[in-house]
Amino acid sequence: MSRDILVIGGGIAGIQAALDLAEMDFKVHLVERLPSIGGKMAQLDKTFPTNDCAI
Amino acid sequence: MLDVGRHPNIKLMAYSEVEEVNGEVGNFRVKIKRKARYVNEDKCTGCGACSEKCPTVVPDAFNEGLSTRKAIYTWFAQGIPSTHTIDTEHCRQFQGKKCGICQKVCQADAVEYDQKDKFVELSVGAIVVATGYEVFNPNRIPEYGYKEIDNVVTAIEFERLLSASGPTGGHLYRPSDLKVKEEVPALEKSLKKLSKALERFEKKYGQKSEEFYKALGKEEQGNDPDKAKWAEAYEQKEEVSKRLSEYKAILEKMDVAKKLAFIQCVGSRDIRFYPFCSGYCCMHSIKEAIIANEHEPETNSVIFGMDIRAVGKGFEEYKIRGADHSSITYVRGRVAEIIQLPDKTPVVVYEDTMERVVREEPFDLVILATACVPNKGTKELAGILGIELDRFGFFRTTQANPVDTTRPGIFVCGCADSPMDIPESVAQASAAAARAAQVIVETEMKKAS
């Protein structure tokens, strides 16, 4: 039995899931295929409908 | 992103892939491949001295190939972790050539050419899959001329052009002009080389190249190999200088794109490819048009779509604001074709279905709102995880259990499940995290009782 959780993918969804679980005091292993996390959202300039910066 | 890097409960394994998953909920055994970066993650300070000196230039995938990076690189400037990585496909050292520059300049001694892939075995209670999506390849719709017409780009490429940290620093130059600008230094270099060669001939024979060429008879050229070379160099120089002056004329007139066309449903709501609606693209195009207008207030945009789907909190108001304050026109109709004029201007051929007229309209830049489609690796990962895919290739879920996959203890969120926008992805991620926590607590309770 393990309490650890594996999150596959470090885009906005994976980051959110990992942070939620980490805040609940679970140990999270976040695996990302690319050299750094951020996913597609990091490629975006701004986000709708507030025009906030994506990064 | 930063929070993930420094949270004590998160072990971040970037540049890694899941290889094997066995076991069941509460007790999965997972094998992870940590791909060799050839840079020591603990030692690298991310200073960038290696990339600065690296001689190998390759297209930058983060900027959708609109700029270049080096063979030793970071994915993007603010990336976490900031550790550099060697792209072995292009690195001279790995291609059997003599180099080793990055290792020499690295003050932290972090470059390790002999690094090997490492395998990590983990024991976990639950798994959350958040592998995202990729954009539809518009080459599959030849009538839109993507990659053939320089000034037709995808929405994500346009996003990089708009970004202050992107290849143009946020200035919306047309890719055709950027291409010309890129070629000028090489042309200037070759012109200089050819001029020098001509000078040598002129000195040797005491005659101006132009006079020599005019007086030259075809037979004479064939008889004397030296003079044939001279004539050839002269012809080349004329051609290069003609092209260079053409290019310089283009660059003198070069201005940012001010008339934009957005084409909706490229690959989605199209029975030839994906019948579903990708959901976010209407809002995405409106946002891009608004931001372009913020950068350059003279910018006008036309959004061509079957209908504009502004379903979400504050979305309809955003759409109206775009029309009222950011010079966006919405045209109901599907674009039939994009053609190119000799000066590289793309022309959109479409039917305005409100007015029942077929029209042709030139634009500075055309942006394709490409569909959200399953990532290439999804099928393989589904095999490793032992979970099912739906008919489009996304991970299968049901309406009653929207974040549960077909295997207990494995959950999915974001665009790996289906196309969705950022707020939805975040909400689903929190739901998947809650479900993962729930099954672990349930398993613990079952064991205790």
Side-chain angles (χ1 to χ4, degrees), chain A residues 4 6 8 20 28 30 46 51, chain B residues 11 13 125 130 287 318 430:
Chain A
D4 289 12
L6 171 70
I8 310 171
D20 276 11
V28 181
L30 177 60
K46 305 274 165 55
N51 293 355
Chain B
K11 165 84 177 141
M13 286 179 274
K287 181 209 70 178
Y318 192 71
S430 289

Side-chain angles (χ1 to χ4, degrees), chain B residues 193-359:
Chain B
K193 215 169 143 190
L194 287 165
S195 302
K196 264 195 187 152
L198 290 182
E199 249 172 57
R200 273 198 303 276
F201 285 117
E202 283 171 5
K203 229 179 192 176
K204 190 170 170 188
Y205 295 100
Q207 195 182 14
K208 285 264 171 234
S209 296
E210 207 182 332
E211 287 164 18
F212 153 76
Y213 192 75
K214 265 186 192 160
L216 186 71
K218 285 256 156 76
E219 283 165 38
E220 201 182 334
Q221 188 183 335
N223 293 340
D224 187 340
D226 202 36
K227 287 197 173 171
K229 267 189 200 161
W230 188 2
E232 198 189 338
Y234 181 76
E235 281 167 6
Q236 275 178 1
K237 193 209 146 191
E238 286 295 288
E239 203 195 306
V240 170
S241 63
K242 192 179 151 212
R243 190 138 39 109
L244 197 59
S245 60
E246 278 171 12
Y247 280 12
K248 284 195 170 157
I250 291 172
L251 290 181
E252 244 168 58
K253 282 194 291 179
M254 177 166 145
D255 195 6
V256 292
K258 288 178 188 158
K259 197 177 172 201
L260 313 176
F262 291 85
I263 300 178
Q264 297 308 113
C265 302
V266 177
S268 47
R269 295 176 75 195
D270 186 333
I271 51 167
R272 295 173 298 173
F273 309 106
Y274 294 95
F276 57 73
C277 166
S278 289
Y280 59 72
C281 343
C282 285
M283 294 307 294
H284 191 238
S285 291
I286 296 171
K287 181 209 70 178
E288 289 187 334
I290 289 178
I291 301 292
N293 183 271
E294 270 179 15
H295 284 212
E296 171 55 63
E298 281 174 38
T299 305
N300 289 297
S301 302
V302 181
I303 299 183
F304 296 94
M306 289 184 265
D307 44 27
I308 300 297
R309 300 191 158 176
V311 187
K313 202 173 177 177
F315 288 10
E316 183 68 15
E317 296 90 318
Y318 192 71
K319 177 186 126 188
I320 294 166
R321 200 178 102 202
D324 290 348
H325 301 290
S326 304
S327 309
I328 302 176
T329 314
Y330 302 103
V331 171
R332 197 185 81 178
R334 237 182 136 111
V335 171
E337 195 182 5
I338 305 168
I339 46 181
Q340 183 173 233
L341 298 181
D343 70 348
K344 305 275 180 190
T345 298
V347 175
V348 173
V349 184
Y350 68 99
E351 184 196 1
D352 185 329
T353 57
M354 297 297 274
E355 299 195 8
R356 297 195 202 157
V357 200
V358 175
R359 288 206 177 91

Side-chain angles (χ1 to χ4, degrees), chain B residues 118-187:
Chain B
K118 275 186 221 150
F119 292 90
V120 178
E121 305 242 354
L122 293 176
S123 175
V124 297
I127 299 172
V128 175
V129 182
T131 45
Y133 71 104
E134 63 184 43
V135 293
F136 174 79
N137 179 1
N139 267 338
R140 292 173 68 187
I141 308 180
E143 54 270 31
Y144 287 168
Y146 177 67
K147 290 281 178 213
E148 307 228 324
I149 304 175
D150 288 334
N151 297 323
V152 173
V153 299
T154 64
I156 199 118
E157 286 167 352
F158 187 72
E159 201 74 44
R160 295 317 300 151
L161 289 173
L162 273 184
S163 171
S165 62
T168 56
H171 299 289
L172 206 50
Y173 292 118
R174 303 193 312 165
S176 66
D177 292 340
L178 292 173
K179 236 184 193 175
V180 165
K181 198 176 170 188
E182 213 172 88
E183 281 178 36
V184 164
L187 280 180

